[in-house]
Amino acid sequence: MASNRRHFIIASVLIVICTLIVYWVLDTVLLKPAAAVVEAGPIDYLFDLHIWLIAFLFALVGVFMCYALIVFRARGDEGDGEHIHGNGLLEIIWTVVPCFVVVYFAWIGTTMLIDLTEAHPDEYVVSAEGRQWSWLFTYPESGAVTPDLVLPVDTPIRMDLTSDDVLHNFWVPEFRVKQDTVPGMVTYVRFTPNLIGEYVLRCAELCGTNHSGMLATVRVVSQEEFKLWQSEQVAQLQE
Amino acid sequence: MSLFTLGIARGLVGQVLGMVIGMLLTCAVRILLGWEAWAAEPAWTVGSVCSIIGFLLGVGSLDDWLKWTRGIQTPLVHGPPVDKPAWTRYFSVDYNHKVIGVQYTVWGILLLMVGGTVAMIFRTELARSGLQFLGLDLYNSFIGMHGMIMIFAILLGVGGMGNYLVPLMIGAEDMAFPRLNALGFWFNVPGSILLLLSLFIGGWDAGWTAYPPLSARGPIGYQLFFLGVFAIGLSSIVGSLNLLVTLLRMRPAGMSLFRMPIFCWAVFATSLIQLTATQLIGTSFLMVSVQRAIGMGFFDPRGILGEVSPMVGGGDPVLFQHLFWFYSHPAVYIFVLPGLGIVSELLPVFSRKPLFGYKWIALSSMAIAIVGFIVWGHHMFVSGYNDILRIPFMYATLLVAIPTGVKFFSWLGTIWGGKVHFDTPMLFVLGAISVFLIGGLTGPILATVPTDLPLHDSYFVVGHFHATMFGGFVFPFFAALYYWFPKVTGRMYNEKLGKIHFFIMTPAFWVQTLGQMGVGVMGMRRRIADYDPTLGQGQIENWQMAVTIAGFAIAFGVMLMLWNFFQNAEVGVSAGDNPWRSRSPEWQIPSPIPEHSFPAPLKVVGEPYDYGLADSGYVTTTSPGDD
């Protein structure tokens, strides 16, 4: 057992080092799109927390496995290993501890989800309709209908999503959140753009031949520019 | 010898005749109704149903039952066919579970190759952005084809391992219902032929999940696809019923449930899911089929079929997803539980140490099977069902991590303190653990709704899913093929080639799966024929190229394995009865196994995995007179 203690100390040190390395590699290699909405903050934070968990558990299992394979390799002899059938206490520990971890993560997920889907009293509503293979946006306030989406910065947005034909999905990678559009019902998604720029809306639910090309431009503009754009649209409607 | 002494040849003729008869029947009914005689969709649909029956009649899988209806007795024939070469039994109806197990496995490997080839074709397309040589529709058909063919292949592989190994491991003479066992296999052949045929009559472009309304309006290929899946589903149901009865009723005296080889527990858990959940995918696909054929608007909200039948409507597309995933999530556990059972089965043999925490591993399989039934909603986190219900599904899904963790830690406990041998089967077991670890660890980030929102329907899911399938099925399946090859053939494979296969395939798979997840994080959607080359700060093409190269390396490795088996099945070095010094019953009898596996009923005298305990045995296979 004394040698087991030595093994565990060495393995623990290796696990710490390995966790840091795996986290650093994943953090460097995984290239998230720019964050262009307020909601990306908490989502990316939870993403990062998950990466830490992945790094630690990968190190835990990986180090123990590789370590055991090296230390306990058969050195040419045909004998058998130790006759151990298991350890009830260990099994209970590695059943109960993960319970707390997953409930903790689920609890963070729950509170965050409630925040993400909560209605804002002053949200600006835009309707989007998916159709094979383009998008159509309607601004209820002005009655304007456009093929591209223009949104004011720093304004809570609610997109009301419908579909004319098959399932589609409203997803701007920079906005993180996504939501299916379903024929026969209105679904919705909420976000608050906070970065002025031009993004691409990409349909994320297989919708037939040109699914990969079902894109639309999304422009997040300053509130003044948005007012200006809106009045232009109204003027065009009146012509 | 005429070709038609082979059951499969007669079956194929029967399938063609059935198809023709079904089509003629449809035309006749239409003429009687005063409609235009030919309509492609109903003709192919009725033809496909008849073609499945035609195949089963032709191959002779229903012969005994048909004779019984006329009062004719038919004995259960066991043994090679009289006045025909012995090998022909593998191409005809045979009631020996060892033959059926090989039939399942070989047909599964064939489909694995077809599905892999399809993947290589569209992986080549994806190596660069822009469309190179595939059209959009063909691409969409191919991704669904790849998915469904692979699912068939995996179900066949699972069936192969279960049918071959379970009776041997519990010392049963055969499966409980040998005729049903044969029928279970033969359903697969017309089913997979229909699936492959669907590509040539228009294909189907909604992916293997075939969500309506898209699947309700696409080409005729859908009907063949739906009916093919239906046939495979029937195979799953009768096969799992057979395995459950065999496991529960045919164990020898003294083999309590907790003294079964651990693989039997995995098969038990898998069969429970197959027996109770398969109906749901059958139903959901049949409902779309009926919606298409006669306009019953199950999933059609407002009569979008338009002029075809203007009155339909009142259905709900999201309902389909519930029915579909109620099977298709547990199905993932159908695929991986037997594989994880193989890992648990082989680790003690090659570590020369008892399985650590046998009962915990056995019950973790049951826990996964049961929890698997209440997590389907995580596939639909963005589908638009009740917002609040996403939370219980998130908790339930994360709970799956616990029994899965028990397996991982118990495997580590098994290796720890052992004397580990690194033969090819063990390498694949270790590869399986490493790959399933990647697949498992990338699960919680998808199960947590806020982090799922950006990752849902992205390529990250593709990477995660392939890691679970390779770690949970492909690697363990290959380990099983290498491990039991000497038992099935009596010959040894080439160890060096086996190791080369492993050292090519494992790193290649790591690259592939991490590459797929990486492009998903960049923002690439799944199931797209063309992607935006500016994603990931313009690096996405390099990643895609790496994934494609890794995919080809894996394919090369699989070819090496098949070559290795092909070369050594007849002329390889004699392997002896028990090259791995295993305690399991099947290794205590000669290789290859004689027609009647055990000379006398097994007697259980000890624990299955008492490696390291001197003078202990698990079973004795001597005849009663020797006691």
Side-chain angles (χ1 to χ4, degrees), chain A residues 4 29 50 72 74 78 81 83 85 163 178 180 188 203 209 212, chain B residues 137 302 352 357 382 387 416 420 448 453-454 456 525 543 610:
Chain A
N4 250 354
V29 167
H50 268 295
F72 301 110
E78 296 291 289
H83 182 251
H85 270 283
S163 167
K178 65 163 74 71
D180 278 359
Y188 66 93
C203 173
T209 308
S212 56
Chain B
D137 280 322
R302 53 181 186 211
R352 313 304 307 164
V382 300
D387 258 355
W416 194 267
V420 184
T448 320
L453 294 176
H456 202 99
R525 301 159 286 158
W543 286 61
D610 262 344

PDB file of all heavy atoms in Angstrom, chain A residues 4 29 50 72 74 78 81 83 85 163 178 180 188 203 209 212, chain B residues 137 302 352 357 382 387 416 420 448 453-454 456 525 543 610:
ATOM      1  N   ASN A   4       1.437   2.245  -3.334  1.00  0.00           N
ATOM      2  CA  ASN A   4       0.246   2.863  -3.904  1.00  0.00           C
ATOM      3  C   ASN A   4       0.191   4.347  -3.567  1.00  0.00           C
ATOM      4  O   ASN A   4      -0.155   5.171  -4.410  1.00  0.00           O
ATOM      5  CB  ASN A   4      -1.008   2.174  -3.353  1.00  0.00           C
ATOM      6  CG  ASN A   4      -1.713   1.353  -4.434  1.00  0.00           C
ATOM      7  OD1 ASN A   4      -1.308   1.401  -5.599  1.00  0.00           O
ATOM      8  ND2 ASN A   4      -2.735   0.634  -4.056  1.00  0.00           N
ATOM      9  N   VAL A  29      -6.769  26.674 -29.052  1.00  0.00           N
ATOM     10  CA  VAL A  29      -7.144  26.069 -30.325  1.00  0.00           C
ATOM     11  C   VAL A  29      -8.588  26.393 -30.717  1.00  0.00           C
ATOM     12  O   VAL A  29      -8.889  26.584 -31.890  1.00  0.00           O
ATOM     13  CB  VAL A  29      -6.936  24.541 -30.233  1.00  0.00           C
ATOM     14  CG1 VAL A  29      -7.593  23.839 -31.389  1.00  0.00           C
ATOM     15  CG2 VAL A  29      -5.460  24.223 -30.203  1.00  0.00           C
ATOM     16  N   HIS A  50     -16.941  24.826 -18.501  1.00  0.00           N
ATOM     17  CA  HIS A  50     -17.001  23.469 -19.032  1.00  0.00           C
ATOM     18  C   HIS A  50     -15.637  23.026 -19.545  1.00  0.00           C
ATOM     19  O   HIS A  50     -15.259  21.859 -19.394  1.00  0.00           O
ATOM     20  CB  HIS A  50     -18.031  23.394 -20.164  1.00  0.00           C
ATOM     21  CG  HIS A  50     -19.412  23.005 -19.705  1.00  0.00           C
ATOM     22  ND1 HIS A  50     -19.689  21.778 -19.172  1.00  0.00           N
ATOM     23  CD2 HIS A  50     -20.581  23.669 -19.694  1.00  0.00           C
ATOM     24  CE1 HIS A  50     -20.977  21.703 -18.862  1.00  0.00           C
ATOM     25  NE2 HIS A  50     -21.535  22.842 -19.161  1.00  0.00           N
ATOM     26  N   PHE A  72       2.197  -0.807 -14.483  1.00  0.00           N
ATOM     27  CA  PHE A  72       1.683  -2.169 -14.289  1.00  0.00           C
ATOM     28  C   PHE A  72       1.717  -2.990 -15.575  1.00  0.00           C
ATOM     29  O   PHE A  72       0.911  -3.888 -15.759  1.00  0.00           O
ATOM     30  CB  PHE A  72       0.263  -2.126 -13.721  1.00  0.00           C
ATOM     31  CG  PHE A  72       0.177  -1.411 -12.406  1.00  0.00           C
ATOM     32  CD1 PHE A  72      -0.445  -0.165 -12.316  1.00  0.00           C
ATOM     33  CD2 PHE A  72       0.753  -1.957 -11.272  1.00  0.00           C
ATOM     34  CE1 PHE A  72      -0.509   0.508 -11.111  1.00  0.00           C
ATOM     35  CE2 PHE A  72       0.695  -1.278 -10.060  1.00  0.00           C
ATOM     36  CZ  PHE A  72       0.068  -0.050  -9.978  1.00  0.00           C
ATOM     37  N   ALA A  74       2.934  -5.873 -18.074  1.00  0.00           N
ATOM     38  CA  ALA A  74       3.485  -7.202 -17.823  1.00  0.00           C
ATOM     39  C   ALA A  74       4.921  -7.206 -18.321  1.00  0.00           C
ATOM     40  O   ALA A  74       5.185  -6.872 -19.470  1.00  0.00           O
ATOM     41  CB  ALA A  74       2.657  -8.242 -18.558  1.00  0.00           C
ATOM     42  N   GLU A  78       4.165 -14.356 -17.063  1.00  0.00           N
ATOM     43  CA  GLU A  78       2.821 -14.830 -17.370  1.00  0.00           C
ATOM     44  C   GLU A  78       1.936 -14.844 -16.130  1.00  0.00           C
ATOM     45  O   GLU A  78       0.873 -15.439 -16.128  1.00  0.00           O
ATOM     46  CB  GLU A  78       2.899 -16.245 -17.950  1.00  0.00           C
ATOM     47  CG  GLU A  78       3.646 -16.313 -19.287  1.00  0.00           C
ATOM     48  CD  GLU A  78       2.872 -15.638 -20.416  1.00  0.00           C
ATOM     49  OE1 GLU A  78       1.854 -16.197 -20.830  1.00  0.00           O
ATOM     50  OE2 GLU A  78       3.264 -14.542 -20.844  1.00  0.00           O
ATOM     51  N   GLY A  81      -2.247 -10.386 -11.944  1.00  0.00           N
ATOM     52  CA  GLY A  81      -2.165  -9.206 -11.097  1.00  0.00           C
ATOM     53  C   GLY A  81      -2.745  -9.475  -9.720  1.00  0.00           C
ATOM     54  O   GLY A  81      -3.051 -10.621  -9.365  1.00  0.00           O
ATOM     55  N   HIS A  83      -5.291  -9.821  -6.741  1.00  0.00           N
ATOM     56  CA  HIS A  83      -6.667 -10.334  -6.758  1.00  0.00           C
ATOM     57  C   HIS A  83      -7.571  -9.396  -5.952  1.00  0.00           C
ATOM     58  O   HIS A  83      -7.829  -9.609  -4.768  1.00  0.00           O
ATOM     59  CB  HIS A  83      -6.707 -11.753  -6.191  1.00  0.00           C
ATOM     60  CG  HIS A  83      -8.065 -12.354  -6.231  1.00  0.00           C
ATOM     61  ND1 HIS A  83      -8.813 -12.575  -5.112  1.00  0.00           N
ATOM     62  CD2 HIS A  83      -8.831 -12.739  -7.283  1.00  0.00           C
ATOM     63  CE1 HIS A  83      -9.976 -13.081  -5.463  1.00  0.00           C
ATOM     64  NE2 HIS A  83     -10.019 -13.195  -6.761  1.00  0.00           N
ATOM     65  N   HIS A  85     -11.286  -7.389  -6.021  1.00  0.00           N
ATOM     66  CA  HIS A  85     -12.573  -7.392  -6.720  1.00  0.00           C
ATOM     67  C   HIS A  85     -13.214  -6.021  -6.812  1.00  0.00           C
ATOM     68  O   HIS A  85     -14.190  -5.836  -7.519  1.00  0.00           O
ATOM     69  CB  HIS A  85     -13.542  -8.353  -6.038  1.00  0.00           C
ATOM     70  CG  HIS A  85     -13.467  -9.721  -6.593  1.00  0.00           C
ATOM     71  ND1 HIS A  85     -14.034 -10.084  -7.782  1.00  0.00           N
ATOM     72  CD2 HIS A  85     -12.841 -10.825  -6.147  1.00  0.00           C
ATOM     73  CE1 HIS A  85     -13.782 -11.353  -8.042  1.00  0.00           C
ATOM     74  NE2 HIS A  85     -13.054 -11.830  -7.060  1.00  0.00           N
ATOM     75  N   SER A 163     -42.158  30.145 -40.103  1.00  0.00           N
ATOM     76  CA  SER A 163     -41.652  29.525 -41.315  1.00  0.00           C
ATOM     77  C   SER A 163     -42.789  29.326 -42.289  1.00  0.00           C
ATOM     78  O   SER A 163     -43.921  29.073 -41.902  1.00  0.00           O
ATOM     79  CB  SER A 163     -41.023  28.172 -40.997  1.00  0.00           C
ATOM     80  OG  SER A 163     -40.816  27.468 -42.196  1.00  0.00           O
ATOM     81  N   LYS A 178     -29.608  30.297 -30.611  1.00  0.00           N
ATOM     82  CA  LYS A 178     -30.278  29.916 -31.852  1.00  0.00           C
ATOM     83  C   LYS A 178     -31.651  29.347 -31.537  1.00  0.00           C
ATOM     84  O   LYS A 178     -31.937  28.964 -30.399  1.00  0.00           O
ATOM     85  CB  LYS A 178     -29.435  28.937 -32.670  1.00  0.00           C
ATOM     86  CG  LYS A 178     -29.182  27.587 -32.073  1.00  0.00           C
ATOM     87  CD  LYS A 178     -28.698  26.605 -33.127  1.00  0.00           C
ATOM     88  CE  LYS A 178     -27.271  26.779 -33.611  1.00  0.00           C
ATOM     89  NZ  LYS A 178     -26.267  26.397 -32.610  1.00  0.00           N
ATOM     90  N   ASP A 180     -35.122  27.239 -33.637  1.00  0.00           N
ATOM     91  CA  ASP A 180     -35.786  26.729 -34.838  1.00  0.00           C
ATOM     92  C   ASP A 180     -36.967  27.619 -35.212  1.00  0.00           C
ATOM     93  O   ASP A 180     -37.621  28.195 -34.341  1.00  0.00           O
ATOM     94  CB  ASP A 180     -36.341  25.318 -34.597  1.00  0.00           C
ATOM     95  CG  ASP A 180     -35.274  24.242 -34.755  1.00  0.00           C
ATOM     96  OD1 ASP A 180     -34.129  24.597 -35.068  1.00  0.00           O
ATOM     97  OD2 ASP A 180     -35.607  23.060 -34.570  1.00  0.00           O
ATOM     98  N   TYR A 188     -39.605  32.150 -30.574  1.00  0.00           N
ATOM     99  CA  TYR A 188     -38.942  33.439 -30.390  1.00  0.00           C
ATOM    100  C   TYR A 188     -37.549  33.240 -29.814  1.00  0.00           C
ATOM    101  O   TYR A 188     -37.225  32.191 -29.248  1.00  0.00           O
ATOM    102  CB  TYR A 188     -39.763  34.338 -29.466  1.00  0.00           C
ATOM    103  CG  TYR A 188     -39.838  33.800 -28.065  1.00  0.00           C
ATOM    104  CD1 TYR A 188     -38.920  34.210 -27.106  1.00  0.00           C
ATOM    105  CD2 TYR A 188     -40.818  32.875 -27.701  1.00  0.00           C
ATOM    106  CE1 TYR A 188     -38.953  33.700 -25.831  1.00  0.00           C
ATOM    107  CE2 TYR A 188     -40.852  32.355 -26.424  1.00  0.00           C
ATOM    108  CZ  TYR A 188     -39.926  32.769 -25.497  1.00  0.00           C
ATOM    109  OH  TYR A 188     -39.947  32.255 -24.237  1.00  0.00           O
ATOM    110  N   CYS A 203     -28.846  29.674 -41.588  1.00  0.00           N
ATOM    111  CA  CYS A 203     -29.874  28.705 -41.239  1.00  0.00           C
ATOM    112  C   CYS A 203     -29.207  27.445 -40.707  1.00  0.00           C
ATOM    113  O   CYS A 203     -28.354  26.862 -41.357  1.00  0.00           O
ATOM    114  CB  CYS A 203     -30.734  28.339 -42.446  1.00  0.00           C
ATOM    115  SG  CYS A 203     -31.869  26.997 -42.081  1.00  0.00           S
ATOM    116  N   THR A 209     -32.343  21.532 -50.506  1.00  0.00           N
ATOM    117  CA  THR A 209     -31.235  21.695 -51.441  1.00  0.00           C
ATOM    118  C   THR A 209     -30.221  22.757 -51.022  1.00  0.00           C
ATOM    119  O   THR A 209     -29.066  22.477 -50.794  1.00  0.00           O
ATOM    120  CB  THR A 209     -31.782  22.055 -52.844  1.00  0.00           C
ATOM    121  OG1 THR A 209     -32.770  21.099 -53.185  1.00  0.00           O
ATOM    122  CG2 THR A 209     -30.672  22.067 -53.877  1.00  0.00           C
ATOM    123  N   SER A 212     -27.165  25.110 -47.199  1.00  0.00           N
ATOM    124  CA  SER A 212     -25.884  25.735 -46.847  1.00  0.00           C
ATOM    125  C   SER A 212     -25.839  27.194 -47.287  1.00  0.00           C
ATOM    126  O   SER A 212     -25.114  27.994 -46.711  1.00  0.00           O
ATOM    127  CB  SER A 212     -24.722  24.954 -47.464  1.00  0.00           C
ATOM    128  OG  SER A 212     -24.903  24.857 -48.865  1.00  0.00           O
TER     129      SER A 212
ATOM    130  N   ASP B 137     -27.999  18.580 -53.889  1.00  0.00           N
ATOM    131  CA  ASP B 137     -28.955  17.533 -53.527  1.00  0.00           C
ATOM    132  C   ASP B 137     -28.257  16.213 -53.233  1.00  0.00           C
ATOM    133  O   ASP B 137     -28.611  15.508 -52.289  1.00  0.00           O
ATOM    134  CB  ASP B 137     -29.991  17.340 -54.644  1.00  0.00           C
ATOM    135  CG  ASP B 137     -31.077  18.399 -54.575  1.00  0.00           C
ATOM    136  OD1 ASP B 137     -31.460  18.750 -53.453  1.00  0.00           O
ATOM    137  OD2 ASP B 137     -31.516  18.861 -55.637  1.00  0.00           O
ATOM    138  N   ARG B 302     -50.605  23.036 -41.703  1.00  0.00           N
ATOM    139  CA  ARG B 302     -51.614  23.850 -42.374  1.00  0.00           C
ATOM    140  C   ARG B 302     -51.759  23.514 -43.839  1.00  0.00           C
ATOM    141  O   ARG B 302     -51.902  24.394 -44.682  1.00  0.00           O
ATOM    142  CB  ARG B 302     -51.287  25.326 -42.206  1.00  0.00           C
ATOM    143  CG  ARG B 302     -49.879  25.654 -42.631  1.00  0.00           C
ATOM    144  CD  ARG B 302     -49.560  27.110 -42.437  1.00  0.00           C
ATOM    145  NE  ARG B 302     -48.263  27.373 -43.000  1.00  0.00           N
ATOM    146  CZ  ARG B 302     -47.435  28.284 -42.537  1.00  0.00           C
ATOM    147  NH1 ARG B 302     -47.769  29.020 -41.514  1.00  0.00           N
ATOM    148  NH2 ARG B 302     -46.275  28.485 -43.108  1.00  0.00           N
ATOM    149  N   ARG B 352      -4.975  -9.258 -16.441  1.00  0.00           N
ATOM    150  CA  ARG B 352      -4.803 -10.406 -15.549  1.00  0.00           C
ATOM    151  C   ARG B 352      -5.252 -10.068 -14.145  1.00  0.00           C
ATOM    152  O   ARG B 352      -4.554 -10.285 -13.165  1.00  0.00           O
ATOM    153  CB  ARG B 352      -3.335 -10.898 -15.526  1.00  0.00           C
ATOM    154  CG  ARG B 352      -2.679 -11.055 -16.873  1.00  0.00           C
ATOM    155  CD  ARG B 352      -3.420 -11.953 -17.800  1.00  0.00           C
ATOM    156  NE  ARG B 352      -3.734 -13.299 -17.270  1.00  0.00           N
ATOM    157  CZ  ARG B 352      -4.629 -14.105 -17.804  1.00  0.00           C
ATOM    158  NH1 ARG B 352      -5.340 -13.718 -18.853  1.00  0.00           N
ATOM    159  NH2 ARG B 352      -4.856 -15.290 -17.289  1.00  0.00           N
ATOM    160  N   GLY B 357     -15.188  -3.820  -9.372  1.00  0.00           N
ATOM    161  CA  GLY B 357     -16.573  -3.373  -9.163  1.00  0.00           C
ATOM    162  C   GLY B 357     -17.558  -3.953 -10.154  1.00  0.00           C
ATOM    163  O   GLY B 357     -18.320  -3.223 -10.790  1.00  0.00           O
ATOM    164  N   VAL B 382     -33.647  23.518 -29.098  1.00  0.00           N
ATOM    165  CA  VAL B 382     -33.995  24.721 -29.860  1.00  0.00           C
ATOM    166  C   VAL B 382     -35.181  24.483 -30.789  1.00  0.00           C
ATOM    167  O   VAL B 382     -35.403  25.236 -31.726  1.00  0.00           O
ATOM    168  CB  VAL B 382     -32.788  25.252 -30.680  1.00  0.00           C
ATOM    169  CG1 VAL B 382     -31.643  25.601 -29.761  1.00  0.00           C
ATOM    170  CG2 VAL B 382     -32.342  24.256 -31.725  1.00  0.00           C
ATOM    171  N   ASP B 387     -40.467  26.063 -23.188  1.00  0.00           N
ATOM    172  CA  ASP B 387     -39.186  26.553 -22.689  1.00  0.00           C
ATOM    173  C   ASP B 387     -38.744  25.924 -21.375  1.00  0.00           C
ATOM    174  O   ASP B 387     -37.601  25.528 -21.211  1.00  0.00           O
ATOM    175  CB  ASP B 387     -39.310  28.057 -22.434  1.00  0.00           C
ATOM    176  CG  ASP B 387     -38.678  28.839 -23.545  1.00  0.00           C
ATOM    177  OD1 ASP B 387     -38.086  28.203 -24.436  1.00  0.00           O
ATOM    178  OD2 ASP B 387     -38.761  30.071 -23.515  1.00  0.00           O
ATOM    179  N   TRP B 416      -5.295  -0.923 -12.710  1.00  0.00           N
ATOM    180  CA  TRP B 416      -4.384  -0.569 -11.616  1.00  0.00           C
ATOM    181  C   TRP B 416      -3.958  -1.820 -10.848  1.00  0.00           C
ATOM    182  O   TRP B 416      -4.800  -2.541 -10.320  1.00  0.00           O
ATOM    183  CB  TRP B 416      -5.081   0.421 -10.679  1.00  0.00           C
ATOM    184  CG  TRP B 416      -4.145   1.100  -9.734  1.00  0.00           C
ATOM    185  CD1 TRP B 416      -3.839   0.702  -8.476  1.00  0.00           C
ATOM    186  CD2 TRP B 416      -3.400   2.284  -9.970  1.00  0.00           C
ATOM    187  NE1 TRP B 416      -2.934   1.560  -7.916  1.00  0.00           N
ATOM    188  CE2 TRP B 416      -2.648   2.547  -8.814  1.00  0.00           C
ATOM    189  CE3 TRP B 416      -3.286   3.148 -11.073  1.00  0.00           C
ATOM    190  CZ2 TRP B 416      -1.791   3.644  -8.706  1.00  0.00           C
ATOM    191  CZ3 TRP B 416      -2.443   4.241 -10.963  1.00  0.00           C
ATOM    192  CH2 TRP B 416      -1.709   4.476  -9.794  1.00  0.00           C
ATOM    193  N   VAL B 420      -0.392  -5.815 -17.330  1.00  0.00           N
ATOM    194  CA  VAL B 420      -1.089  -5.480 -18.571  1.00  0.00           C
ATOM    195  C   VAL B 420      -0.330  -6.003 -19.793  1.00  0.00           C
ATOM    196  O   VAL B 420       0.875  -5.768 -19.935  1.00  0.00           O
ATOM    197  CB  VAL B 420      -1.280  -3.959 -18.680  1.00  0.00           C
ATOM    198  CG1 VAL B 420      -2.097  -3.628 -19.915  1.00  0.00           C
ATOM    199  CG2 VAL B 420      -1.952  -3.415 -17.434  1.00  0.00           C
ATOM    200  N   THR B 448     -25.944  21.128 -21.172  1.00  0.00           N
ATOM    201  CA  THR B 448     -26.278  22.355 -20.466  1.00  0.00           C
ATOM    202  C   THR B 448     -26.861  23.341 -21.473  1.00  0.00           C
ATOM    203  O   THR B 448     -26.172  23.738 -22.407  1.00  0.00           O
ATOM    204  CB  THR B 448     -25.023  22.960 -19.810  1.00  0.00           C
ATOM    205  OG1 THR B 448     -24.252  21.895 -19.264  1.00  0.00           O
ATOM    206  CG2 THR B 448     -25.380  23.930 -18.717  1.00  0.00           C
ATOM    207  N   LEU B 453     -26.865  26.219 -26.800  1.00  0.00           N
ATOM    208  CA  LEU B 453     -27.464  27.119 -27.795  1.00  0.00           C
ATOM    209  C   LEU B 453     -26.489  27.446 -28.932  1.00  0.00           C
ATOM    210  O   LEU B 453     -26.861  27.334 -30.096  1.00  0.00           O
ATOM    211  CB  LEU B 453     -27.987  28.387 -27.115  1.00  0.00           C
ATOM    212  CG  LEU B 453     -29.164  28.161 -26.152  1.00  0.00           C
ATOM    213  CD1 LEU B 453     -29.543  29.448 -25.451  1.00  0.00           C
ATOM    214  CD2 LEU B 453     -30.372  27.582 -26.879  1.00  0.00           C
ATOM    215  N   PRO B 454     -25.238  27.840 -28.638  1.00  0.00           N
ATOM    216  CA  PRO B 454     -24.325  28.068 -29.768  1.00  0.00           C
ATOM    217  C   PRO B 454     -23.862  26.777 -30.448  1.00  0.00           C
ATOM    218  O   PRO B 454     -23.546  26.805 -31.643  1.00  0.00           O
ATOM    219  CB  PRO B 454     -23.128  28.788 -29.146  1.00  0.00           C
ATOM    220  CG  PRO B 454     -23.233  28.591 -27.688  1.00  0.00           C
ATOM    221  CD  PRO B 454     -24.668  28.332 -27.364  1.00  0.00           C
ATOM    222  N   HIS B 456     -25.512  23.728 -30.662  1.00  0.00           N
ATOM    223  CA  HIS B 456     -26.572  22.896 -31.243  1.00  0.00           C
ATOM    224  C   HIS B 456     -26.545  22.984 -32.769  1.00  0.00           C
ATOM    225  O   HIS B 456     -26.394  24.064 -33.323  1.00  0.00           O
ATOM    226  CB  HIS B 456     -27.932  23.397 -30.735  1.00  0.00           C
ATOM    227  CG  HIS B 456     -29.001  22.355 -30.811  1.00  0.00           C
ATOM    228  ND1 HIS B 456     -29.376  21.610 -29.727  1.00  0.00           N
ATOM    229  CD2 HIS B 456     -29.758  21.919 -31.840  1.00  0.00           C
ATOM    230  CE1 HIS B 456     -30.335  20.762 -30.088  1.00  0.00           C
ATOM    231  NE2 HIS B 456     -30.583  20.931 -31.357  1.00  0.00           N
ATOM    232  N   ARG B 525     -22.011  25.182 -39.381  1.00  0.00           N
ATOM    233  CA  ARG B 525     -23.200  24.385 -39.127  1.00  0.00           C
ATOM    234  C   ARG B 525     -22.960  22.968 -39.592  1.00  0.00           C
ATOM    235  O   ARG B 525     -22.114  22.715 -40.437  1.00  0.00           O
ATOM    236  CB  ARG B 525     -24.385  24.967 -39.899  1.00  0.00           C
ATOM    237  CG  ARG B 525     -24.693  26.378 -39.536  1.00  0.00           C
ATOM    238  CD  ARG B 525     -25.481  27.057 -40.624  1.00  0.00           C
ATOM    239  NE  ARG B 525     -24.665  27.391 -41.788  1.00  0.00           N
ATOM    240  CZ  ARG B 525     -25.150  27.599 -42.984  1.00  0.00           C
ATOM    241  NH1 ARG B 525     -26.439  27.516 -43.211  1.00  0.00           N
ATOM    242  NH2 ARG B 525     -24.349  27.925 -43.986  1.00  0.00           N
ATOM    243  N   TRP B 543      -8.285  23.119 -41.080  1.00  0.00           N
ATOM    244  CA  TRP B 543      -8.883  22.128 -40.184  1.00  0.00           C
ATOM    245  C   TRP B 543      -9.643  21.087 -40.989  1.00  0.00           C
ATOM    246  O   TRP B 543      -9.577  19.898 -40.710  1.00  0.00           O
ATOM    247  CB  TRP B 543      -9.828  22.820 -39.199  1.00  0.00           C
ATOM    248  CG  TRP B 543      -9.148  23.595 -38.130  1.00  0.00           C
ATOM    249  CD1 TRP B 543      -8.324  24.657 -38.309  1.00  0.00           C
ATOM    250  CD2 TRP B 543      -9.215  23.375 -36.718  1.00  0.00           C
ATOM    251  NE1 TRP B 543      -7.886  25.118 -37.091  1.00  0.00           N
ATOM    252  CE2 TRP B 543      -8.424  24.348 -36.103  1.00  0.00           C
ATOM    253  CE3 TRP B 543      -9.886  22.445 -35.933  1.00  0.00           C
ATOM    254  CZ2 TRP B 543      -8.280  24.425 -34.719  1.00  0.00           C
ATOM    255  CZ3 TRP B 543      -9.749  22.520 -34.559  1.00  0.00           C
ATOM    256  CH2 TRP B 543      -8.945  23.497 -33.962  1.00  0.00           C
ATOM    257  N   ASP B 610     -11.972 -14.269 -11.662  1.00  0.00           N
ATOM    258  CA  ASP B 610     -11.043 -14.463 -10.549  1.00  0.00           C
ATOM    259  C   ASP B 610      -9.600 -14.631 -11.011  1.00  0.00           C
ATOM    260  O   ASP B 610      -8.910 -15.556 -10.593  1.00  0.00           O
ATOM    261  CB  ASP B 610     -11.475 -15.679  -9.726  1.00  0.00           C
ATOM    262  CG  ASP B 610     -12.265 -15.253  -8.499  1.00  0.00           C
ATOM    263  OD1 ASP B 610     -12.205 -14.058  -8.156  1.00  0.00           O
ATOM    264  OD2 ASP B 610     -12.940 -16.104  -7.903  1.00  0.00           O
TER     265      ASP B 610
END
